[in-house]
Amino acid sequence: PWPEALAVSMVETDEARDLWRIEAIYADEPEAGDIDEALQRAGLGNRKLSIGAVPQKDWVRESLAGLAPVVAGRLFVHGNHDRHLRPPGSINIEIDAGLAFGTGHHNTTRGCLLAVQRTLKSYKPVNCLDVGCGSGVLAIAVCKLTGVPAIASDIDADAVKVTRDNARINGTAHLMRCVTAAGLDHPSISAHAPYDLIVANILARPLMSLAPAIARALSTRGRLILSGLTSDQVRMVRASYLAQGLCIVDTLIDANWATLTLARKQRGMA
């Protein structure tokens, strides 16, 4: 549709009245008439149309500056603007998410950080794979908690660069290999398999489609931590991994977001 925008967002502002706010970002200021015509074609009409210049700012950095640190068990996840808030005795992780997902603030990331620590109370891995690493916060956390090597992979090259930078900031670069890969399709991932600990904080559908590959990459005694799914998606994700001989050994629910810990099914396990 014309005029073509760089980005478009839609937010429901009043569910009862079915009211929505639509925002579009353009490189050059569009003509109000063109926007009005596009709205008319969509059957919307001119609903409080306004056009204005967006100030030149580092919006990503500005939004991160407003995020408070996250405490997840022993871990204290913060931006560089909150270094002075590091509590004594905590394991500190400094994250600059940049263009990648994963500041530690989302329920799924925090759930994974807690699940990793719960797993490590009774289980010590020798290597780790972080599938869909985003900012690298999960791989960095595992490296800091255990000192074991980790491979962090993401389909997005920008995310891999951010992960590499964050690994350097947190002193874990010597333990981490960061690769751009679709799922587990990368020579470095295959070369270092099997993994004693795999974490994947993505979405339910990709988790389901990756179930066979993830199960093959998990060691016999390994643990798998999955998130990025809502509580009502647990059953279908569980079924995908049950078919691969895995079962859920722990579940964390936080505001309808679920984090699952799985292991290979042993005799007597449901």
Side-chain angles (χ1 to χ4, degrees):
W2 177 260
E4 185 174 356
L6 298 176
V8 178
S9 67
M10 299 177 61
V11 179
E12 188 173 23
T13 57
D14 190 328
E15 183 178 1
R17 299 167 61 194
D18 193 25
L19 295 179
W20 293 73
R21 183 178 72 248
I22 303 174
E23 297 181 350
I25 304 296
Y26 295 88
D28 300 305
E29 182 175 341
E31 293 291 336
D34 291 336
I35 299 291
D36 184 48
E37 182 181 345
L39 291 173
Q40 294 290 346
R41 288 199 305 269
L44 298 174
N46 189 336
R47 307 291 181 88
K48 296 183 179 179
L49 172 65
S50 63
I51 299 176
V54 177
Q56 289 290 337
K57 291 184 180 180
D58 186 338
W59 289 102
V60 172
R61 185 167 299 279
E62 182 160 308
S63 64
L64 292 176
L67 294 176
V70 171
V71 178
R74 299 163 57 200
L75 299 170
F76 183 78
V77 184
H78 63 91
N80 59 12
H81 55 285
D82 282 329
R83 290 175 183 169
H84 63 288
L85 298 178
R86 292 173 175 176
S90 65
I91 297 175
N92 304 303
I93 301 177
E94 182 176 317
I95 292 295
D96 179 6
L99 298 176
F101 174 84
T103 60
H105 290 78
H106 196 272
N107 307 70
T108 60
T109 312
R110 188 166 57 250
C112 286
L113 293 171
L114 291 171
V116 165
Q117 291 171 86
R118 286 168 67 149
T119 297
L120 295 178
K121 288 180 179 179
S122 59
Y123 177 75
K124 177 65 184 292
V126 298
N127 62 353
C128 172
L129 171 64
D130 181 359
V131 180
C133 59
S135 67
V137 61
L138 299 181
I140 291 169
V142 172
C143 290
K144 286 208 164 197
L145 288 164
T146 66
V148 303
I151 290 182
S153 71
D154 201 288
I155 195 170
D156 183 357
D158 287 330
V160 173
K161 181 182 183 302
V162 169
T163 293
R164 192 174 290 116
D165 292 341
N166 284 329
R168 185 181 66 256
I169 292 169
N170 287 278
T172 58
H174 65 292
L175 292 171
M176 292 174 56
R177 182 186 296 266
C178 307
V179 299
T180 303
L184 280 71
D185 186 17
H186 193 281
S188 290
I189 296 177
S190 302
H192 292 84
Y195 297 91
D196 282 338
L197 178 61
I198 299 178
V199 292
N201 181 19
I202 40 181
L203 294 171
R205 296 293 178 185
L207 287 175
M208 293 166 64
S209 65
L210 288 173
I214 288 177
R216 286 194 300 270
L218 189 67
S219 70
T220 302
R221 59 185 289 271
R223 296 292 185 271
L224 169 63
I225 295 173
L226 305 177
S227 198
L229 61 151
T230 57
S231 55
D232 60 343
Q233 294 172 325
V234 168
R235 179 174 296 182
M236 62 183 187
V237 172
R238 175 184 179 273
S240 297
Y241 286 85
L242 182 63
Q244 304 301 320
L246 303 179
C247 64
I248 297 176
V249 296
D250 194 14
T251 303
L252 291 171
I253 302 293
D254 183 358
N256 200 42
W257 292 97
T259 301
L260 310 178
T261 302
L262 300 94
R264 294 202 177 278
K265 189 174 181 180
Q266 304 295 328
R267 183 174 299 177
M269 296 176 70

